[in-house]
Amino acid sequence: MSFKTIIEPFKIKEIEPLSVTTEEERIGYLKSAHFNPFMLKSEHVLIDLLTDSGTSAMSSKQWAAMMDGDEAYAGSRSWLKMEAVIKDLTGYEYILPTHQGRAAERILYGYLGGKGKVFLSNTHFDTTRANIEFSGAEAFDIPVEEAKHPMLDRPFKGNMDIKALEEHIIKYGAENIGGVILTVTNNSGGGQPVSMQNAIEVKNVCSKYKVKYFLDCCRIAENSYYVNHREKGYEVKTYKQIAQEMFSLADGCVMSAKKDGLVNMGGFLAVKDKSLADACTNLLIITEGFATYGGLSGRSMEAIAVGLQEVFEPDYLKYRIRSTAYLGEKLYKMGVPLIYPIGGHAVYIDAKAFYPHIPVEEYPGQAMVCELYTKGGIRSVEIGSVMFGKYDEDGKLIPAPNELVRLAIPRRVYTQSHIEYVIEVFELLLTGKEKVKGLKIVEEPEFLRHFTAKFDKI
Ligand code: F0G
């Protein structure tokens, strides 16, 4: 018997109170934060959907393991546990711990990158692109065509364009390719999954031209769920077996354990090749820490070892994917325009379609982010021209391709009633949307402006 209601497959042992504020108070807080929710105090936020990264609730088994953390500088027992779990999952021989994903990226892409090198990905996440470009190399996104159509219902919109991959390798020369990076799931592309068939085709092209192939695997368990449910032949395999198969295709991986590691901090780099591992270990020791902790405490490594196993539990993954889809599908039925189908970790709203009267120069995504906070105390993030917009020579905005708002769902944190509340806030937003006005930027830094830019209402 299968029931319609998908319950949270856990019960609550410890609670963290939410701070309830009034709309009037929130108007004041948002004004003091210059209409930029990154500058809000989290204690003024009711439901925080800013990110799914590092925001997971840990299990009693993770907390119990943490008590047994071995804080030895070298050869820590906790490291050996974490290493064994990652070796079993990835099949890679060399594992390097790091304090989070971008530290692993800096080491790997800093080493393989440099001037004249080129990296290719279904979509580089911002920190991935930043680390590659910081090394002097170039990063090109080559998602499949269907990824560019937000409402098109296709099972694997996270895939890489194989034809474009081969064309880019030929154009830039195989010897200049620093690496090919398959991001699973594709975060910047709407949290959409990548099929095993695509991962195999990427491997075939990389093998043909002898270029290095890496997975950015921070949401690999969520991706495995989709492969199991959407790709023929994989329904008989476990989520972990599917992940293992995908890892076996690549030369290595970079992981931010803050997502599918179910922890608040941590990451790693893992590779098959000894000489690459040796070079990266040198960089690790210089900047992160000794090879058996890499900037992590023993207790954090214990939590990762347990989290990386729990994340593949079928009841957890079913709840995870279905509960994100529940929010997205309800909003979709209410007429909220969004990226469809719903991805694993977040719902991406099309703010330009929601507020057609707000021109992109007045940042419809930022307007929605502010409305969600003022009306409901919900924090979300703009992924549009505030984040990716540039200026031309005359100071005119070159807008981003889309004006999106991301509602990222922390793992195991919110219950269905929290989500029902979010849906209700959207009902409120729908009723008064014609009256909502855009914003202008009054102060901004040179790089990554979305974190600290100051806005004013128009
Ligand atoms: N790769 C992907 C696909 C990511 O989503 C992130 C982080 C990273 C790498 C970097 O990992 O934060 O541990 O250094 N994404 C977060 C987000 C920040 O909100 O999507 P990190």
Side-chain angles (χ1 to χ4, degrees), residues 50-53 100-102 105 125 127-128 183 187 216 218-219 256 258-259 406:
L50 190 63
T51 180
D52 65 319
S53 180
Q100 63 182 88
R102 69 197 70 181
E105 290 174 343
F125 180 68
T127 58
T128 319
T183 311
N187 181 7
D216 178 342
C218 60
R219 298 179 182 88
S256 166
K258 296 170 75 174
K259 285 82 169 173
R406 183 179 79 168

Side-chain angles (χ1 to χ4, degrees), residues 355-411:
Y355 294 128
H357 60 287
I358 304 181
V360 290
E361 292 76 17
E362 295 173 13
Y363 306 109
Q366 195 68 16
M368 176 175 282
V369 158
C370 290
E371 280 291 293
L372 280 169
Y373 178 69
T374 340
K375 294 279 159 40
I378 299 165
R379 179 153 67 172
S380 55
V381 63
E382 193 260 17
I383 303 192
S385 293
V386 172
M387 198 180 265
F388 296 121
K390 296 199 167 90
Y391 296 112
D392 67 12
E393 285 161 4
D394 305 324
K396 198 170 168 305
L397 179 79
I398 308 168
N402 296 300
E403 304 298 329
L404 303 174
V405 167
R406 183 179 79 168
L407 309 174
I409 316 294
R411 293 167 182 77

Side-chain angles (χ1 to χ4, degrees), residues 135-195:
S135 81
E138 277 185 286
F140 295 102
D141 292 339
I142 43 169
V144 281
E145 177 60 32
E146 53 201 45
K148 296 169 197 159
H149 304 275
M151 302 287 276
L152 187 69
D153 191 356
R154 290 286 183 280
F156 290 107
K157 288 168 82 175
N159 284 351
M160 188 185 285
D161 184 335
I162 301 297
K163 194 162 158 272
L165 174 64
E166 195 154 8
E167 282 167 4
H168 277 75
I169 296 177
I170 293 167
K171 181 172 170 196
Y172 292 97
E175 67 286 5
N176 297 319
I177 305 297
V180 172
I181 305 162
L182 195 61
T183 311
V184 295
T185 56
N186 189 1
N187 181 7
S188 312
Q192 300 292 322
V194 175
S195 69

